[in-house]
């Protein structure tokens, strides 16, 4: 790599060039102009710096996260000073005050650095191996004294003030952070990297100083891999730069310290973009309630342990997505529960019930890791038989009523539990005072039916999360929100670990729950003409008399669907059907689908008669037809056909996409597919798809060979479909059915 080395003439606030001795110790590896039409700078710059400080994994995918352990205020020593000077507050200038502009920037800078420990906003997180704040004081004191004899480093930290003597010293923010490296099978136990970060708000610089242990085991600053991010302004234009101290001492490790080209290009581009992005996500940082370090180590261990599930996955769903997503969710719960046991001073592992467990993999992993529990779902899955007897999975409907209580279970889980999602906090609250819940909402359901939006100022997802939080709070839980690291767009979880009321108020709280549930429906619980049903006496009694334990795991399932109407908590709730009818046009009669395909193809080919096979066409003569919008195609179909398609999810578009051998639907327009233009498959595909291609070759008749007036555009050896019955191969499904029979 060639590094362009030039004098670092920092133009921030019109500062003069640095001396020649300083020039030789610095290099600018990247500089990017930032367009700021929304006037978000300099505050936006500090927001971007906050992302890189607290969530470096967003930019560097080889990192798992970071932890801000301690922080303090300090000042740089003068070159002639004999020692450091510390400060508990802003240093006053000659005018007796901090400039207003500096104060505004300081507020923007400080906010992102106030990262809190789980459940404790505004405090630095404390975990095993952390350095106390007093040791950060000692670290800065030693480093500050060393700066008196290291003019180059002092000038690097001072930024634009180098070469000119400031009128007064000003306050710096000094942060101690731990960068957590992502583990992998090749790097299973990577030690975290520690850094001291010096933030100079007045001069717009953030300097990252790596740390190492000295001979006595104390932390000290390394003089290698030191870099600085700087915001500067010249002629009304903003710039963000990345500077390196002593480039010859930069030793990239490919993880925490990548190559300089990455810093000067990838990181700089992201910082510039984040600095002028006005919109905030409105969601928490990932893994804000648990230790990122513990999560990283546990996740890679579990991923390695359960990776073979991908190879034997019998369901039609994508194995890589579902296996690794459930591994990540299980890892999160295991760490959450481990830390909960430490907080409560207990050793017994928590019990659980997963309501709407689906494929049951989450139940299998948690059970295999020593947590007693079971899963319940309306429909049995093929993969259930592969887990073994230690994984308890039950088939049955869950109907919220007095019989659906789990008084001796510690945690209720709702992982994409659909219509049960809003009920899970209620069931947990009424099961026992010690029952907690974890939900990962996906589809939007109310207590009865689909959730109806009420606030246009929020996204539907954000509004639904707020609704589930409201349900949990009304039920008496302290509800916390976190964001998981899973391959899904719906990855925000809600956790109810503790109650907002003492056990003696259980009856009054249950009356509050009942009123709230009624208000969502707008009707009484009981039959018409009666008063609203009172708070569930069974639920209240259960909450008072069952403080905890694992006995419920060995008792009755408690989820019979034949509950009487008087026992229901809200009339109208309908669990999903056991056998769900497919509505993606796949279940439509074959002759109906073939008729629609021929009719649409006839339209696209300009009315050419589709009479049968012809010799394969050439590049010049093969009729590709025209393109029509979906509306134009629909206007040519008869009313009965359209009504039948409207009853399917996606309607006409879904039917055409299902027949992708014939059609291509792009941007709302329908085309005849030209197989001569098909791109080769991606180099890296899921194993299931890699197997599918050769197994499906020549197992279906070529539609173009049979129906297109010019025949197939491809010669027979190149076409993946059979040119006539003589080329047909038996499909894998047919061979499997023969072996089974």
């Amino acid at each position: 790599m060639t590094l362009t080395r030039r004098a670092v003439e920092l133009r921030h606030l019109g500062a003069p060039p640095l001396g020649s001795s300083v020039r030789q110790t610095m290099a600018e590896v990247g500089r990017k102009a930032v367009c700021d039409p929304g006037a978000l700078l300099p505050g936006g710059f500090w927001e971007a710096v906050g992302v890189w400080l607290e969530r470096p994994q967003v930019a560097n995918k080889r990192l798992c996260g970071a932890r801000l352990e301690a922080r303090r205020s300090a000042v740089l020593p003068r070159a002639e000073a004999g020692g450091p000077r510390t400060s508990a507050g802003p240093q006053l200038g000659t005018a007796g005050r901090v400039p207003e502009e500096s104060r505004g920037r300081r507020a923007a800078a400080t906010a992102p650095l106030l990262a809190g420990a789980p459940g404790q906003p505004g405090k630095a997180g404390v975990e095993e191996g952390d350095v106390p704040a007093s040791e950060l004081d000692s670290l800065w004191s030693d480093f500050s004294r060393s700066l008196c004899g290291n003019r180059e480093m002092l000038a690097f930290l001072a930024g634009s003030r180098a070469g000119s003597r400031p009128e007064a010293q000003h306050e710096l923010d000094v942060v101690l952070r731990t960068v957590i490296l992502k583990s992998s099978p090749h790097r299973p136990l990577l030690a975290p990297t520690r850094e001291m970060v010096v933030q100079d708000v007045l001069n717009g610089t953030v300097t990252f100083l790596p740390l190492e242990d000295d001979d006595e085991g104390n932390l000290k600053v390394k003089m290698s891999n030191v870099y600085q991010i700087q915001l500067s302004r010249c002629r009304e234009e903003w710039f963000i730069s990345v500077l390196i101290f002593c480039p010859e001492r930069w030793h990239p490790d490919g993880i925490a310290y990548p190559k300089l080209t990455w810093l000067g290009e990838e990181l700089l581009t992201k910082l510039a973009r984040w600095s002028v992005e006005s919109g905030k996500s409105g969601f928490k940082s990932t893994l804000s309630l648990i230790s990122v370090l513990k999560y990283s180590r546990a996740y890679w261990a579990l991923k390695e342990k359960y990776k073979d599930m991908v190879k034997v996955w019998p369901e039609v769903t994508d194995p890589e997505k579902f296996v690794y997503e459930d591994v990540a969710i299980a890892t999160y719960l295991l760490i959450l529960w481990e830390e909960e046991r430490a907080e409560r001073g207990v050793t017994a592992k928590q019990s659980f019930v997963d309501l709407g467990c689906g494929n049951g993999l989450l139940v299998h992993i948690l059970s295999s890791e020593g947590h007693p529990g079971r899963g319940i779902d309306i429909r049995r899955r093929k993969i259930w038989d592969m887990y073994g007897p230690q994984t308890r999975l039950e088939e049955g409907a869950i109907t919220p009523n007095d019989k659906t209580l789990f008084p001796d279970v510690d945690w209720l889980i709702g992982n994409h539990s659909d219509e049960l999602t809003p009920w899970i906090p209620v069931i947990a609250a009424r099961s026992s005072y010690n029952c907690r819940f974890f939900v990962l909402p996906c589809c939007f359901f109310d207590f009865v039916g689909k959730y109806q939006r009420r606030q246009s100022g929020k996204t539907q997802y954000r509004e639904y999360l707020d609704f589930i939080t409201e349900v949990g709070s009304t039920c008496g839980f302290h509800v916390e929100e976190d964001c998981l690291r899973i391959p899904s767009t719906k990855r925000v979880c809600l956790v109810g670990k503790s109650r907002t009321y003492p056990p003696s108020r259980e009856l009054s709280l249950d009356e509050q729950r009942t009123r709230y549930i009624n208000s969502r429906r707008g009707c009484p619980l009981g039959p018409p003409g009666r008063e609203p049903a009172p708070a569930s006496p069974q639920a209240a009694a259960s909450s008072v008399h069952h403080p905890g334990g694992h006995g419920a795991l060995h008792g009755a399932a408690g989820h019979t669907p034949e509950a009487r109407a008087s026992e229901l908590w809200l009339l109208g709730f309908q669990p999903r059907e056991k056998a769900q009818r497919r509505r993606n046009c796949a279940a439509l009669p074959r002759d109906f689908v073939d008729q629609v395909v021929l009719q649409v193809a006839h339209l696209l080919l300009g009315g050419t008669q589709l009479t049968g096979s012809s010799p394969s066409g050439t590049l010049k003569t093969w009729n590709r037809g025209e393109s029509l919008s979906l509306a134009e195609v629909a206007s040519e179909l008869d009313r009965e056909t359209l009504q039948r398609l409207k009853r399917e999810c996606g309607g006409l578009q879904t039917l055409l996409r299902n027949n992708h051998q014939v059609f291509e639907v792009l941007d709302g327009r329908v085309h005849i597919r030209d197989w001569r233009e098909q791109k080769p498959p991606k180099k890296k595909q899921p194993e299931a798809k890699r197997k599918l291609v050769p197994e499906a070759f020549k197992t279906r008749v070529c539609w173009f060979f049979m129906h297109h007036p010019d025949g197939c555009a491809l010669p027979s050896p190149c076409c993946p479909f059979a040119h006539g019955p003589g080329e047909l191969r038996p499909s894998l499904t047919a061979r499997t059915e023969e072996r089974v029979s």
Side-chain angles (χ1 to χ4, degrees):
M1 178 196 66
T2 301
L3 174 65
T4 302
R5 301 194 54 179
R6 61 182 179 85
V8 183
E9 299 180 2
L10 303 176
R11 303 181 182 90
H12 183 60
L13 300 178
L18 305 180
S20 59
S21 61
V22 178
R23 291 176 184 171
Q24 298 175 0
T25 61
M26 303 188 217
E28 185 179 86
V29 298
R31 182 180 181 88
K32 194 171 186 65
V34 182
C35 181
D36 184 27
L40 298 174
L41 296 174
F45 170 74
W46 297 115
E47 293 287 343
V49 167
V51 174
W52 178 238
L53 278 172
E54 299 184 17
R55 294 179 286 154
Q57 74 277 5
V58 176
N60 186 348
K61 300 303 181 183
R62 296 189 177 184
L63 303 180
C64 189
R67 188 174 68 240
L68 305 189
E69 298 175 349
R71 62 176 294 128
R72 56 159 291 162
S73 299
V75 295
L76 285 177
R78 298 176 186 267
E80 67 274 10
R85 177 183 173 189
T86 61
S87 170
Q91 299 300 305
L92 299 180
T94 55
R97 63 184 179 85
V98 177
E100 292 295 332
E101 182 183 2
S102 175
R103 279 196 252 177
R105 282 189 280 182
R106 171 161 300 284
T110 304
L113 295 176
L114 291 175
Q120 301 178 11
K123 297 183 180 181
V126 178
E127 299 182 26
E128 69 279 5
D130 282 351
V131 178
S134 60
E135 294 201 34
L136 175 60
D137 293 342
S138 176
L139 176 66
W140 173 257
S141 181
D142 294 341
F143 175 67
S144 184
R145 277 194 294 268
S146 71
L147 291 177
C148 298
N150 190 341
R151 295 177 60 87
E152 291 82 7
M153 175 59 77
L154 182 59
F156 185 71
L157 289 168
S160 64
R161 291 180 290 117
S164 64
R165 295 184 58 179
E167 293 296 329
Q169 296 168 305
H170 61 270
E171 185 184 18
L172 307 174
D173 283 316
V174 182
V175 179
L176 182 68
R177 80 162 179 168
T178 295
V179 180
I180 301 170
L181 313 183
K182 184 176 288 185
S183 303
S184 72
H186 307 292
R187 304 185 303 270
L189 294 174
L190 290 176
T193 299
R194 284 199 169 95
E195 294 177 332
M196 184 166 63
V197 182
V198 180
Q199 180 178 247
D200 187 342
V201 176
L202 182 64
N203 289 286
T205 63
V206 185
T207 306
F208 297 80
L209 303 161
L211 304 176
E212 63 181 350
D213 292 329
D214 60 16
D215 295 336
E216 298 179 356
N218 300 316
L219 285 178
K220 69 174 184 178
V221 175
K222 290 199 301 184
M223 290 302 165
S224 60
N225 289 3
V226 177
Y227 68 99
Q228 183 182 91
I229 302 170
Q230 183 184 87
L231 176 70
S232 59
R233 194 172 188 179
C234 180
R235 300 184 185 91
E236 303 304 318
E237 189 173 10
W238 291 98
F239 295 90
I240 299 180
S241 308
V242 176
L243 309 174
I244 302 299
F245 181 74
C246 292
E248 64 276 4
R249 295 184 185 177
W250 186 268
H251 307 299
D253 60 8
I255 307 174
Y257 299 102
K259 295 181 179 180
L260 294 180
T261 50
W262 187 90
L263 285 177
E265 295 173 6
E266 298 291 330
L267 177 60
L268 192 56
T269 299
K270 288 181 171 64
L271 290 171
R273 186 179 75 248
W274 296 340
S275 295
V276 293
E277 286 181 345
S278 58
K280 295 185 179 180
S281 67
F283 299 108
K284 292 286 187 72
S285 301
T286 59
L287 311 182
S288 62
L289 300 182
I290 63 172
S291 164
V292 179
L293 180 59
K294 291 179 181 177
Y295 175 89
S296 177
R297 291 173 175 172
Y299 173 75
W300 287 102
L302 291 177
K303 186 177 180 181
E304 186 71 12
K305 183 175 181 179
Y306 296 100
K307 65 180 181 181
D308 289 340
M309 294 297 301
V310 175
K311 301 177 182 178
V312 297
W313 192 256
E315 306 291 337
V316 296
T317 51
D318 182 1
E320 292 188 350
K321 177 188 184 301
F322 282 87
V323 170
Y324 296 137
E325 180 173 320
D326 282 354
V327 167
I329 297 171
T331 305
Y332 184 89
L333 286 170
L334 291 172
I335 301 301
L336 183 72
W337 293 346
E338 176 187 332
E339 294 179 350
E340 183 188 57
R341 293 196 301 274
E343 292 172 5
R344 297 187 172 207
V346 298
T347 57
K349 291 190 174 182
Q350 295 89 333
S351 59
F352 70 93
V353 173
D354 187 352
L355 301 178
C357 62
N359 58 52
L361 181 57
L362 179 60
V363 177
H364 175 66
I365 296 174
L366 295 176
S367 300
S368 300
E369 299 304 313
H371 286 270
R374 57 190 169 118
I376 307 170
D377 199 274
I378 188 67
R379 180 170 57 86
R380 186 179 185 84
R381 306 298 201 276
K382 299 176 185 177
I383 198 171
W384 286 14
D385 297 326
M386 300 177 59
Y387 294 137
Q390 79 282 358
T391 302
R392 296 186 56 194
L393 298 169
E394 303 170 10
E395 184 179 11
I398 302 291
T399 303
N401 57 55
D402 295 342
K403 295 183 178 180
T404 314
L405 296 173
F406 306 91
D408 298 327
V409 172
D410 296 320
W411 282 81
L412 296 186
I413 298 173
N415 174 20
H416 298 313
S417 46
D418 295 345
E419 71 276 2
L420 286 174
T421 299
W423 286 106
I424 287 177
V426 182
I427 298 174
R430 287 178 168 174
S431 290
S432 78
Y433 184 80
N434 288 334
C435 188
R436 288 87 76 190
F437 75 87
F438 167 94
V439 291
L440 184 62
C442 180
C443 299
F444 308 138
F445 283 88
D446 208 319
F447 290 112
V448 174
K450 289 284 189 177
Y451 177 79
Q452 301 297 322
R453 295 192 64 180
R454 300 187 178 187
Q455 301 181 38
S456 59
K458 300 179 181 179
T459 65
Q460 186 177 17
Y461 185 42
R462 178 69 267 172
E463 184 180 336
Y464 188 69
L465 291 171
D466 292 343
F467 163 60
I468 301 301
T469 300
E470 180 181 272
V471 173
S473 299
T474 305
C475 289
F477 286 97
H478 289 289
V479 182
E480 297 177 278
E481 180 179 304
D482 206 351
C483 192
L484 305 185
R485 293 183 182 175
I486 58 176
S488 173
T489 56
K490 308 290 176 57
R491 54 199 188 102
V492 176
C493 68
L494 299 171
V495 181
K497 290 175 58 178
S498 60
R499 303 293 177 99
T500 59
Y501 62 95
S504 59
R505 292 191 56 221
E506 179 59 43
L507 288 176
S508 63
L509 257 294
D510 202 57
E511 292 175 357
Q512 175 179 302
R513 297 171 197 138
T514 301
R515 288 193 298 270
Y516 179 77
I517 294 171
N518 285 343
S519 71
R520 298 295 303 183
R521 181 62 174 167
C523 64
L525 289 179
R530 296 187 182 180
E531 292 296 320
S536 166
Q538 293 91 337
S542 175
S543 297
V544 172
H545 298 297
H546 294 277
H550 300 163
L553 296 174
H554 307 289
H559 53 274
T560 57
E562 297 84 6
R564 298 189 310 274
S566 60
E567 296 173 337
L568 294 176
W569 293 343
L570 187 62
L571 292 178
F573 175 84
Q574 291 292 333
R576 68 177 60 184
E577 298 176 0
K578 181 175 181 180
Q580 293 185 335
R581 189 177 71 86
R582 290 186 296 176
R583 297 179 57 202
N584 61 351
C585 297
L588 290 172
R590 188 70 249 176
D591 57 347
F592 172 79
V593 174
D594 291 342
Q595 178 186 347
V596 175
V597 169
L598 287 171
Q599 189 173 353
V600 175
H602 179 76
L603 291 171
L604 295 175
L605 292 173
T608 305
Q609 187 67 27
L610 306 181
T611 55
S613 62
S614 300
S616 295
T618 65
L619 288 173
K620 294 182 179 180
T621 62
W622 195 76
N623 184 4
R624 303 176 58 162
E626 58 181 328
S627 73
L628 295 174
S629 67
L630 285 166
E632 290 171 327
V633 173
S635 66
E636 298 294 331
L637 300 179
D638 61 81
R639 184 175 181 179
E640 183 181 351
T641 299
L642 290 176
Q643 289 296 329
R644 195 167 188 178
L645 290 174
K646 284 181 179 179
R647 290 194 290 268
E648 302 292 318
C649 294
L652 175 63
Q653 180 172 238
T654 297
L655 184 144
L656 297 177
R657 283 182 168 166
N658 287 353
N659 289 271
H660 57 86
Q661 181 194 163
V662 185
F663 303 111
E664 190 173 22
V665 183
L666 296 173
D667 300 324
R669 299 193 68 84
V670 186
H671 312 256
I672 292 288
R673 185 177 295 275
D674 189 344
W675 283 86
R676 298 169 298 182
E677 298 178 351
Q678 294 304 299
K679 297 178 181 179
K682 296 179 181 179
K683 293 183 179 179
K684 188 176 181 180
Q685 289 183 307
E687 185 175 354
K689 289 189 176 181
R690 290 198 299 268
K691 289 181 178 179
L692 183 61
V693 174
E695 290 173 350
F697 191 74
K698 300 289 187 183
T699 57
R700 295 174 60 192
V701 173
C702 177
W703 185 92
F704 296 101
F705 179 82
M706 299 298 295
H707 299 288
H708 195 283
D710 297 330
C712 181
L714 296 175
S716 177
C718 300
C719 182
F721 303 97
H723 284 199
E727 293 186 3
L728 273 175
R729 297 170 57 241
S731 66
L732 177 64
T733 304
R735 293 198 301 268
T736 303
E737 291 175 351
E738 289 175 3
R739 287 197 298 268
V740 172
S741 60

